[in-house]
Amino acid sequence: LMWALLEDAIRCFQNNLSAHSIRKKKLFDEAEQWIGERGVDWIFSFDHVCETLGFTPEYVRQGLLRWKEKHGPSKANFWEEKKLAG
C-alpha cells in the first residue's frame, strides 16, 4: 500500500506539472504538498512512507525538486505567453 501511495504521488507530481485543467493542477498541487510536508507524525506521511520503504525522504524530495526545475515551464516561456496574451 505504501509503495502504491508513493508511486501514485510521484506520478501525479510528474504527469501534471504543466497541466492546464483545474483537475490536473489540483492533482499536482496535492502531490507537491504531500511531498513537501516535513516532520509530519502520520503513518502515511511522505517522510514515514519513504523511511518504511528504505528511502531517505530528503533525498527523494530533493530529486523531485531538481526534476521539477528541469522539466517545469521556464520563466521565459511564462513571460512570452503573457506578452502574447496581453
Side-chain angles (χ1 to χ4, degrees):
L1 180 63
M2 287 185 169
W3 182 264
L5 177 62
L6 182 61
E7 184 179 31
D8 184 58
I10 291 172
R11 187 177 294 123
C12 287
F13 181 83
Q14 291 182 328
N15 291 344
N16 298 302
L17 174 62
S18 299
H20 295 289
S21 77
I22 292 171
R23 181 180 158 273
K24 289 185 177 188
K25 285 180 183 179
K26 184 177 179 182
L27 288 172
F28 172 80
D29 291 342
E30 288 175 354
E32 184 177 44
Q33 181 180 359
W34 182 71
I35 291 165
E37 288 180 340
R38 290 175 171 85
V40 178
D41 190 25
W42 175 52
I43 192 165
F44 291 112
S45 70
F46 178 79
D47 288 355
H48 190 262
V49 168
C50 284
E51 289 170 356
T52 300
L53 295 172
F55 301 119
T56 305
E58 198 57 36
Y59 182 79
V60 177
R61 191 176 283 120
Q62 289 302 313
L64 290 168
L65 179 60
R66 284 191 304 274
W67 183 92
K68 179 183 173 186
E69 290 171 355
K70 182 178 179 183
H71 293 91
S74 71
K75 291 178 183 167
N77 288 343
F78 173 77
W79 291 112
E80 289 301 316
E81 288 175 17
K82 290 294 183 186
K83 282 181 12 185
L84 293 174

